[in-house]
Amino acid sequence: MDLTAGHVWVMISAALVLLMTPGLAFFYGGMTRAKAALNMMMMSFIAVGLVGIVWVLWGYSMTGGDGVAQLFGNPFASFGMSGLIGTEDLIGAGYGATFAIITVALISGAIADRAKFGAWVIFVPIWVTLVYCPLAFMVWGGGLLSADGAVGGAVGEAVDFAGGTVVHISAGVAALVLAVILGKRQGFGKDPAQRPHNIPFVMLGAALLWFGWFGFNGGAAGSAEEAGLIWVNTMAAPAAAMVGWLMTERIRDGRPTSLGAASGIVAGLVAITPACANVSPVGAICLGIVSGAVCALAVGIKYRLGFDDSLDVVAVHLVAGIVGTLSLGFIMLPVEGEGGGLFYGGGAGQLVAQIVAAAIAIALSAIMTAIIGLAIHKTIGFRISSDDEVSGVDLTEHAETAYEFGGLGVGGSFHPFADQVVSQQGAKHSSKQNSAQQDVTEGAHS
């Protein structure tokens, strides 16, 4: 079979989406304290490695094919993707892997500064297997929430073009659950040092996320017309969300911030994800402004409710994911003059379908994440010790630090050539002492 332009576009889109996870690493890494930056970035990078393996072995198989009780696909039907070799289906399989990777990576921002890396390594493949893959099957693979599924057939099929429920709501709920399980950081809400240490990294990460998101939303476009609408909406919604966030900051705090601009962009991207192919550009702008303002206000929820979502995954991904998913019940465009949201005279049917899909995604992610997280926490422990938290998770978990402020020129507790350097320093010190003693002796003689 010849390689078509459509095949090439999906492959390029997959590469764009894969780039989003390193972009997320910069976004999250800059938002942490300096002594936790590498650990935060490693949590994103290890997600690429672990989920990449899971996806090839059984993850992809669980998202399609013949379902088990309409909940998940048979994990052994295409185990190792052996049945896909020699077919064009491998292109779509690779594209799907990048979505699974970034979904679980998003969760990590809620437990910054205090999670054991080994516990995270165990959590990632289990969560992808028990939460992401079943939800992807229910929504996109012909399962429970599809048009032919038990729920979709009863209340109507929910629209989730690129992952409002599958990616952002599920990750946002999981982030909330893990934040509660691990508890608050020391000094949460009181320590002024718990601030982003590198805003340029945050803005670089937001830029990479926005760039990759054109593949995230546009990779599944079925026509040039649909691709054009998706591209414009993916530009307009985050642009408007950034403005909405900054306006909220200006009114509430008196000044707009760089962190707010980066966060607003991400909030708009999250909100437009489920709706990118089904709302007008004007609708995308309205959705962006609303999501930016609402998410900016939602950041304060953690202080009022007392849970420590370190990098505001709940306020951005869960809240914006719900806003974007439910917005389709109001501003979804009619298809060939039929249906659409309430504002287009389509009735409440689509809104009901969106609410039900969001509720199922919330329930599935909350229950399964609680089971997985508590099992890990009660056995090997999910949180580092208080002393390790003070020392910094980079040093205690990885024996390195992001920055070197002096010393031997390397950042961690492991120093290659340390013995030689110490020996050289000792020799210099001894030489200086001998020289000083000689000066004293000569002075006494004189």
Side-chain angles (χ1 to χ4, degrees), residues 245 252 263 267-268 290-300 315-317 319-321 323:
W245 190 300
R252 182 188 60 194
S263 301
V290 170
S291 61
V294 170
C295 290
L297 295 172
V299 169
V316 175
H317 293 277
V319 172
V323 169

Side-chain angles (χ1 to χ4, degrees), residues 391-417:
S391 299
V393 68
D394 284 356
L395 273 176
T396 59
E397 291 293 301
H398 306 288
E400 56 185 351
T401 59
Y403 305 98
E404 176 58 39
F405 298 107
L408 299 177
V410 291
S413 57
F414 170 67
H415 299 297
F417 318 118

